[in-house]
Amino acid sequence: MTGSPDADHRDLRLWWKSAVLYCLDIETFLDSDGDGVGDIAGLAERIDYLTELGVTCLWLMPFYPTTERDDGYDITDYYGVDPRLGSHGDLVEMIRHAKDRGLRIIVDLVVNHTSDKHPWFKSARASKDSPYRDFYIWRDTEPPDTSDKVIFPDEETSLWTFDERTGEWYLHNFYSEQPDLNIANPAVQAEVARIIGFWLELGIDGFRVDAVPYLIDAAGADEELAAQYGDPHDYLRALRKFTSRRRGDAILLGEVNLTYDAQMPFFGDAEGDELTMMFDFELMQRLYLALARRDVNPMVDTLRRRPKLNATNQFANFVRNHDELTLDKLSDDERQEVFDAFGPDPDMQLFGRGLRRRLPPMLNGDPRIIKMVYSLMFSLPGTPVLFYGEEIGMGENLAVPGRLAVRTPMQWTAGRNGGFSPAKPSRLTAPLTTGPYGPAHVNVQDQRSDPDSLLAFISLLARRYRECPEVGMGDCEVLDSGSPAVFAHRCTWNQFGGGVASSVLVHNLAPEPVEVTLALADLAPGTEVIDLFSDLSLEVGERGRLLVPVDGYGHLWLRILLPGDRRLR
Ligand code: GLC
């Protein structure tokens, strides 16, 4: 390596670019005191399980005091801990334990809005003279029709709600119980900085930043404030700067469900000085379309037009999160195709744009397809993000309303309440999944001793992903497989300390076995290629041709044994 270490970031290991993220809600993970609610002490008991799984960073969903209107995304105290889950003491102990096991932790930063029961809003709505009045966005004239802009169309009809006491309307992009903070107000900005500073000081490694486009938008702020605030991206840049000043390697992982073009400014374009990471909603949606069609083209097109990022930035890949599986970037016909394939019953759909199902039931529980999809997700350039329970193939409970269908308690054993809690079932914070995906059939304990289980597979995937930094951090080239159902891509990375790491990853979206020919023009005939999931070994032929046999729904992670690659096989 020449020059300063910063001269070529490709040579550096950035922890978030080869991390395996795991999102969980403490409330539904493990109940240690038998009151029916998961708690911090319960999570602490499972830290070893998580590290054994191969996860390297937890994303904790909101654990702050809340009125539970939006499952914790309506916060009443940014510095507090929901007393049902434990205390600050429990949290610090848990963080310490996680660190001891080499696990990082990021937490949800939900500052687009507060709960309407937050003391700031209670004060703000009590009087126009409140010092907190301008923490929120008010208008004194009848708002225009915003019914086409509401995010939860089943429950809201407007972005504005009239407040009787002071006779004005306040802005809320989400539920009416979640008034939007006025981010153009310097006093609010100072509070946001304090909140970030507080959690970093407790040892947190960064934040999953909620609803970023709404957060930085100053719409509704009065003219003077808006002028002072200026370009919203200046604010996001300042937020990143502040975070990095407090803690150099802390990340901001943003929820920005926009097209690639619109997302780029949120990374800070080529400068890369705003959000560190963003979820790739575009690719996730095209992946489902590709699965529905058994045709890789929607994914190929998307990956080929995925913008090149600054070397410090990264996309986060996922096939499930805690919200509806949104398909809002697909055309109406495309979305209908995915609905028809994976959620034809209207009760499986939500907000007209998404699905409230988990992956295994959508794939009729076929273990071959489920494993192939997770292999594909881990193999895509970026950082994989698991939602708790995905590692064992949990299903949803459609009897639970709305988005909560996929937020049922973690299934540890086949015993009472799936080992989540010893409480009476009626006291549980959320009902468990029932039927073929319930704890009797899907649980951690059974899978721990089964080498063919999904748990064993995901754990191996996590290990392979970490062993192949070229996958997370390298340059990616989508290859022409010659078969509409076979997705093949190659990842290449200059290894820290010398040598080039290169892999070819192959996934078959269809049940028929097939042999594909890949062109790897730069490789000399005779170069050895080995699969990291089987004992298959191949040799590159004339003109860099590689013949690859792929099973129905098969997956291969082919490591190219280049000179200087000293990794163990
Ligand atoms: C984000 C969260 C979602 C929440 C909303 C409002 O979209 O993912 O769960 O309801 O923000 O905070």
Side-chain angles (χ1 to χ4, degrees):
M1 196 168 60
T2 53
S4 86
D6 284 336
D8 187 347
H9 293 291
R10 281 176 308 157
D11 290 327
L12 295 178
R13 283 210 183 244
L14 302 170
W15 71 261
W16 57 94
K17 294 192 76 166
S18 58
V20 178
L21 259 68
Y22 187 96
C23 167
L24 69 91
D25 189 356
I26 294 171
E27 187 181 341
T28 50
F29 206 56
L30 182 68
D31 169 18
S32 75
D33 59 6
D35 65 354
V37 182
D39 44 45
I40 300 166
L43 170 57
E45 274 180 51
R46 289 292 186 259
I47 291 292
D48 285 312
Y49 162 76
L50 293 164
T51 46
E52 205 179 302
L53 172 61
V55 166
T56 65
C57 178
L58 301 182
W59 152 21
L60 301 182
M61 286 170 65
F63 51 79
Y64 316 99
T66 170
T67 44
E68 282 287 285
R69 168 66 176 107
D70 186 10
D71 203 18
Y73 283 88
D74 49 322
I75 296 170
T76 55
D77 176 6
Y78 289 108
Y79 302 99
V81 173
D82 181 342
R84 298 173 312 145
L85 312 183
S87 64
H88 277 111
D90 297 326
L91 192 75
V92 170
E93 279 302 301
M94 186 275 292
I95 295 172
R96 200 190 111 77
H97 182 35
K99 299 266 139 176
D100 178 55
R101 295 293 194 265
L103 205 52
R104 293 178 186 265
I105 299 182
I106 64 171
V107 300
D108 243 294
L109 179 71
V110 189
V111 287
N112 169 68
H113 47 264
T114 66
S115 158
D116 64 348
K117 298 293 179 305
H118 192 290
W120 297 339
F121 192 70
K122 288 211 267 185
S123 166
R125 80 188 323 180
S127 152
K128 284 188 189 168
D129 300 326
S130 157
Y132 292 103
R133 184 71 176 179
D134 290 339
F135 268 44
Y136 298 89
I137 296 170
W138 301 91
R139 58 178 296 145
D140 54 9
T141 53
E142 180 94 31
D145 179 10
T146 49
S147 55
D148 58 332
K149 295 200 177 69
V150 299
I151 294 172
F152 301 131
D154 56 341
E155 297 192 48
E156 298 293 342
T157 52
S158 171
L159 300 183
W160 296 92
T161 289
F162 185 68
D163 193 52
E164 299 282 344
R165 184 103 169 243
T166 53
E168 291 188 342
W169 288 260
Y170 64 88
L171 179 72
H172 55 85
N173 273 291
F174 294 89
Y175 293 119
S176 60
E177 295 88 348
Q178 292 169 311
D180 272 34
L181 279 166
N182 180 5
I183 203 67
N185 181 345
V188 171
Q189 294 174 18
E191 286 292 349
V192 172
R194 257 195 288 274
I195 295 162
I196 290 178
F198 177 82
W199 292 106
L200 287 178
E201 215 56 41
L202 282 193
I204 290 300
D205 296 280
F207 301 87
R208 179 267 185 187
V209 192
D210 193 57
V212 184
Y214 302 97
L215 163 67
I216 65 167
D217 186 7
D222 70 42
E223 276 173 27
E224 205 181 309
L225 274 180
Q228 226 179 305
Y229 176 71
D231 178 357
H233 287 280
D234 287 345
Y235 174 62
L236 198 52
R237 206 169 296 117
L239 208 61
R240 168 73 181 280
K241 246 192 186 161
F242 171 81
T243 306
S244 309
R245 238 182 1 252
R246 287 294 170 94
R247 170 136 187 216
D249 66 350
I251 61 161
L252 298 178
L253 162 58
E255 182 200 24
V256 181
N257 178 13
L258 296 174
T259 59
Y260 286 141
D261 283 351
Q263 262 186 323
M264 281 313 285
F266 287 80
F267 275 125
D269 291 310
E271 296 300 313
D273 55 355
E274 296 187 31
L275 295 171
T276 327
M277 295 179 70
M278 273 184 254
F279 296 100
D280 193 338
F281 283 93
E282 284 233 37
L283 190 56
M284 178 279 285
Q285 302 188 30
R286 268 33 174 260
L287 188 149
Y288 276 96
L289 184 62
L291 288 173
R293 290 182 179 169
R294 291 181 181 165
D295 176 352
V296 298
N297 278 309
M299 276 185 70
V300 170
D301 295 343
T302 309
L303 256 188
R304 287 202 171 134
R305 66 183 177 76
R306 203 194 215 195
K308 193 165 166 44
L309 307 182
N310 178 287
T312 60
N313 292 140
Q314 177 86 322
F315 277 114
N317 296 313
F318 67 104
V319 293
R320 219 321 141 204
N321 67 9
H322 63 291
D323 286 326
E324 78 281 9
L325 183 83
T326 182
L327 302 166
D328 65 341
K329 301 276 170 296
L330 303 182
S331 70
D332 290 350
D333 288 346
E334 291 170 340
R335 187 178 316 108
Q336 195 55 48
E337 278 180 66
V338 179
F339 279 169
D340 291 346
F342 301 130
D345 186 336
D347 188 37
M348 298 168 172
Q349 302 163 12
L350 199 60
F351 307 139
R353 61 172 183 251
L355 287 163
R356 52 190 211 106
R357 307 191 76 191
R358 281 183 177 251
L359 183 78
M362 291 199 275
L363 301 177
N364 298 318
D366 188 328
R368 295 171 309 163
I369 322 182
I370 297 168
K371 288 180 179 172
M372 183 274 293
V373 172
Y374 283 112
S375 168
L376 182 57
M377 174 181 115
F378 272 75
S379 79
L380 292 170
T383 299
V385 186
L386 290 167
F387 180 51
Y388 76 92
E390 283 196 280
E391 72 274 29
I392 51 169
M394 272 170 56
E396 69 282 351
N397 183 346
L398 290 175
V400 185
R403 292 173 294 161
L404 301 182
V406 299
R407 301 186 196 173
T408 58
M410 181 68 183
Q411 298 170 190
W412 297 105
T413 71
R416 184 182 171 98
N417 300 326
F420 161 67
S421 165
K424 271 200 232 148
S426 60
R427 295 197 59 205
L428 296 187
T429 187
L432 281 132
T433 301
T434 55
Y437 295 94
H441 307 283
V442 176
N443 67 72
V444 172
Q445 190 151 294
D446 289 352
Q447 294 193 24
R448 263 164 71 88
S449 50
D450 175 1
D452 294 325
S453 66
L454 186 59
L455 180 65
F457 179 74
I458 299 276
S459 183
L460 181 59
L461 259 183
R463 194 171 348 138
R464 294 291 181 252
Y465 172 82
R466 295 200 320 269
E467 290 167 3
C468 299
E470 67 269 31
V471 173
M473 325 201 220
D475 293 327
C476 168
E477 180 196 357
V478 182
L479 304 173
D480 184 2
S481 77
S483 160
V486 176
F487 184 75
H489 64 293
R490 183 174 176 189
C491 301
T492 305
W493 189 64
N494 292 334
Q495 298 198 77
F496 188 61
V500 174
S502 190
S503 295
V504 170
L505 304 112
V506 185
H507 292 86
N508 185 357
L509 274 44
E512 299 80 26
V514 58
E515 185 170 69
V516 297
T517 306
L518 304 176
L520 307 168
D522 58 307
L523 297 183
T527 303
E528 205 186 338
V529 174
I530 54 162
D531 179 27
L532 297 180
F533 284 86
S534 68
D535 50 16
L536 180 74
S537 154
L538 304 168
E539 245 183 43
V540 175
E542 288 305 315
R543 294 193 312 283
R545 280 157 58 95
L546 183 68
L547 260 59
V548 185
V550 201
D551 289 340
Y553 298 122
H555 62 93
L556 298 107
W557 286 45
L558 300 171
R559 176 177 290 169
I560 302 168
L561 297 179
L562 293 170
D565 191 336
R566 294 188 300 272
R567 290 181 289 181
L568 298 171
R569 294 191 184 195

